Amino acid sequence: MTGCIKVLVVDDQFLIRAGLVGLLRAAPGIEVVGEAGDGAEAVELAARTRPDVILMDIRMPGMSGITATTKILAQSPEPAPRVLVLTTFDLDEYVYGALRAGASGFLLKDSGPERLLAAVAAVGGGDALFAPSVTRRLVEAFARQAAGPGGAGDEPPPDLGALTLREVEVLKLIARGLTNAEIAERLYISEATVKTHLNRTMSKLDLDSRAQAVVVAYETGLVTPGG
């Protein structure tokens, strides 16, 4: 099944999980490598099955989706899986905690089948899931608060001192919701150069996703909500 996107589905509600698995199994180019009913099982299965994408329920009894995301990304060899958080409403403090922990994006549980499959394909291919403004709106709503329940952690944000001036500039524009193309135009550089700066920034700050970079930009005060 080479070339297939390997997906792990995590949800504590059996009917929702079964529906997601059935939908994904019927889609070409996707292989469901496992399903888990809680965070602890998700951590164990992720280590065993090495998925490309994890559909992660955020609110589960026992280990939450935030804690599971943190553990999976900390333990995974490169390339780490992309975590796509499933939630019932977008302005959710739990989702903010998951983005802070390194999730690549979030998806509403009432999204239609086309939206779900497109999201899995986008995240599996390494693309950003939404218009960056969606992530920005969520991050702005919670940037002044603690990371939220579930253990995203009380660790201080990373020090930006390791970044070059241009890397700081790119990070600031990413946090403001600009796409790579818009940043390239604004700074008179190529999109490939924008990606290089972003990749170096993420590597220096030990970040797992673009969304996590947006969170860091707000939490370090590089950008401020509404500023």
Side-chain angles (χ1 to χ4, degrees), residues 57 109 150 218:
D57 187 16
K109 284 191 177 183
Y218 278 93

Side-chain angles (χ1 to χ4, degrees), residues 102-128:
S104 293
F106 62 94
L107 194 67
L108 294 176
K109 284 191 177 183
D110 60 3
S111 299
E114 296 83 4
R115 175 69 174 138
L116 171 70
L117 296 175
V120 169
V123 168
D127 294 332

Side-chain angles (χ1 to χ4, degrees), residues 23 26 53 56 60 66-67 100 106 111 123 128 164-165 167 171 176 186-187 189 191 193 196:
L23 178 65
V53 175
M56 179 75 77
M60 294 182 286
I66 298 173
T67 306
R100 192 177 191 268
F106 62 94
S111 299
V123 168
T164 64
L165 288 175
E167 286 163 357
L171 178 58
R176 285 289 175 228
R186 176 81 63 92
L187 300 181
I189 57 179
E191 276 190 66
T193 304
T196 300

Side-chain angles (χ1 to χ4, degrees), residues 144-166:
R144 291 195 175 103
Q145 300 181 15
D154 297 320
E155 298 171 9
D159 179 11
L160 302 184
L163 304 184
T164 64
L165 288 175
R166 183 44 66 94

Side-chain angles (χ1 to χ4, degrees), residues 130-137 140 170-180 182-183 186 210 214 218 223:
F130 327 94
S133 57
V134 177
T135 301
R136 177 191 171 187
R137 184 167 61 95
E140 281 201 346
V170 168
L171 178 58
K172 191 182 290 187
L173 294 173
I174 283 166
R176 285 289 175 228
L178 274 67
T179 63
N180 287 354
E182 289 166 341
I183 294 170
R186 176 81 63 92
R210 186 186 185 101
V214 175
Y218 278 93
V223 290

Side-chain angles (χ1 to χ4, degrees), residues 45-220:
L45 275 177
R48 190 147 47 87
T49 61
R50 298 289 308 279
D52 302 307
V53 175
I54 301 173
L55 288 181
M56 179 75 77
D57 187 16
I58 198 78
R59 299 168 183 253
M60 294 182 286
M63 186 186 293
S64 74
I66 298 173
T67 306
T69 295
T70 305
K71 287 180 178 291
I72 288 167
L73 293 178
Q75 295 169 12
S76 293
E78 291 297 331
R82 301 283 185 128
V83 178
L84 190 53
V85 169
L86 296 168
T87 183
T88 46
F89 61 106
D90 56 1
L91 284 179
D92 183 346
E93 61 188 315
Y94 284 79
V95 176
Y96 174 72
L99 294 178
R100 192 177 191 268
S104 293
F106 62 94
L107 194 67
L108 294 176
K109 284 191 177 183
D110 60 3
S111 299
E114 296 83 4
R115 175 69 174 138
L116 171 70
L117 296 175
V120 169
V123 168
D127 294 332
L129 180 57
F130 327 94
S133 57
V134 177
T135 301
R136 177 191 171 187
R137 184 167 61 95
L138 175 76
V139 172
E140 281 201 346
F142 294 100
R144 291 195 175 103
Q145 300 181 15
D154 297 320
E155 298 171 9
D159 179 11
L160 302 184
L163 304 184
T164 64
L165 288 175
R166 183 44 66 94
E167 286 163 357
V168 168
E169 205 170 9
V170 168
L171 178 58
K172 191 182 290 187
L173 294 173
I174 283 166
R176 285 289 175 228
L178 274 67
T179 63
N180 287 354
E182 289 166 341
I183 294 170
E185 189 177 350
R186 176 81 63 92
L187 300 181
Y188 303 103
I189 57 179
S190 69
E191 276 190 66
T193 304
V194 173
K195 285 179 185 172
T196 300
H197 287 310
L198 177 57
N199 288 340
R200 285 180 182 158
T201 297
M202 289 172 65
S203 174
K204 287 177 181 180
L205 300 182
D206 195 23
L207 305 177
D208 295 296
S209 72
R210 186 186 185 101
Q212 198 176 21
V214 175
V215 171
V216 163
Y218 278 93
E219 292 194 339
T220 54

